[in-house]
């Protein structure tokens, strides 16, 4: 390989590295200035329940637990109401219209207990950092086994907020 070819290859590798670093920096920093607002109503829960064969006219949607979000610290701020709802034998978690959390990369919703999130109790990717949203509780999870809902950043293993359920 000639010196000229070596220099071209070196510049090519540097360009790829710069591209990858810029992509990673955008992925980490973009949530700080991008918000995603969601407005799901309770009808979405009724539709999900109907797809499971639950008749909304015969079964009542009721709240079994409620809580209010608090942030993890002065940078990771969360607020707003959350409820665990039940219709038939099916559970759902609902973040209310007043829900908001500092945005971040790779945010997910989990159940937790006694001040710790449970990695095995994932409800799904956070749909938006502002507004009402609904999460179907997987059949293998019993909400009665948990007393918190967490917004957790998987990429950095950092809590963004949680709501204690009562």
């Amino acid at each position: 390989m000639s010196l000229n070819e070596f220099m071209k290859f070196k510049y090519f590798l540097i360009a790829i590295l710069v591209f990858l670093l810029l992509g990673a920096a955008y992925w980490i920093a973009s949530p700080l200035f991008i918000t995603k607002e969601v407005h799901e109503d309770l009808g979405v829960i009724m539709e999900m329940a109907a797809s499971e064969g639950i008749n909304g006219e015969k079964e009542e949607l009721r709240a079994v637990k409620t809580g209010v979000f608090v942030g993890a610290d002065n940078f990771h701020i969360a607020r707003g109401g959350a409820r665990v709802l039940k219709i038939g034998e099916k559970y759902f978690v609902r973040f209310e219209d007043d829900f908001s959390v500092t945005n971040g990369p790779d945010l997910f919703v989990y159940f937790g207990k006694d001040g710790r999130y449970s990695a095995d109790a994932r409800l799904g990717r956070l749909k938006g950092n502002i507004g009402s949203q609904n999460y179907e509780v997987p059949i293998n999870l019993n909400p009665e086994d948990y007393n918190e809902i967490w917004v957790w950043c998987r990429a950095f293993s950092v809590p963004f907020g949680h709501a204690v359920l009562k």
Side-chain angles (χ1 to χ4, degrees), residues 1 5 7-8 12 23 28-30 42-43 48 51 54 65 75 77 90 95 107 109-110 119 126-127 138 146 152 157:
M1 181 182 284
E5 290 173 330
M7 293 304 288
K8 285 181 183 179
F12 176 73
I28 291 169
S30 67
L42 287 172
M48 287 190 278
S51 71
I54 297 171
K65 293 182 179 184
F75 181 72
I77 299 166
K90 195 74 185 145
F95 294 1
L107 296 182
V109 179
Y110 291 86
L126 185 70
K127 295 175 183 179
Y146 305 98
W152 188 265
S157 293

Side-chain angles (χ1 to χ4, degrees), residues 12-48:
F12 176 73
L13 287 179
I14 290 171
I16 288 176
L17 182 61
V18 167
F19 179 76
L20 291 174
L21 287 173
L22 287 174
Y26 176 78
W27 181 74
I28 291 169
S30 67
L32 297 175
F33 53 86
I34 295 175
T35 62
K36 183 172 182 188
E37 206 164 322
V38 179
H39 295 287
E40 291 183 333
D41 62 22
L42 287 172
V44 173
I45 289 177
M46 299 307 284
E47 289 172 14
M48 287 190 278

Side-chain angles (χ1 to χ4, degrees), residues 60-66 82-86 96 166:
E60 182 180 318
L61 182 64
R62 61 188 175 87
V64 293
K65 293 182 179 184
T66 62
R83 294 188 289 169
V84 176
L85 303 170
K86 183 177 183 184
E96 299 298 346
K166 296 178 182 177

Side-chain angles (χ1 to χ4, degrees), residues 53-115:
I54 297 171
N55 185 342
E57 293 175 7
K58 293 183 179 179
E59 301 283 350
E60 182 180 318
L61 182 64
R62 61 188 175 87
V64 293
K65 293 182 179 184
T66 62
V68 176
F69 275 96
V70 294
D73 53 41
N74 289 334
F75 181 72
H76 303 105
I77 299 166
R79 62 179 59 99
R83 294 188 289 169
V84 176
L85 303 170
K86 183 177 183 184
I87 183 167
E89 294 304 310
K90 195 74 185 145
Y91 290 94
F92 298 89
V93 169
R94 176 167 173 78
F95 294 1
E96 299 298 346
D97 290 330
D98 62 349
F99 170 76
S100 68
V101 67
T102 304
N103 206 358
D106 207 27
L107 296 182
F108 279 79
V109 179
Y110 291 86
F111 277 125
K113 187 170 185 166
D114 302 331

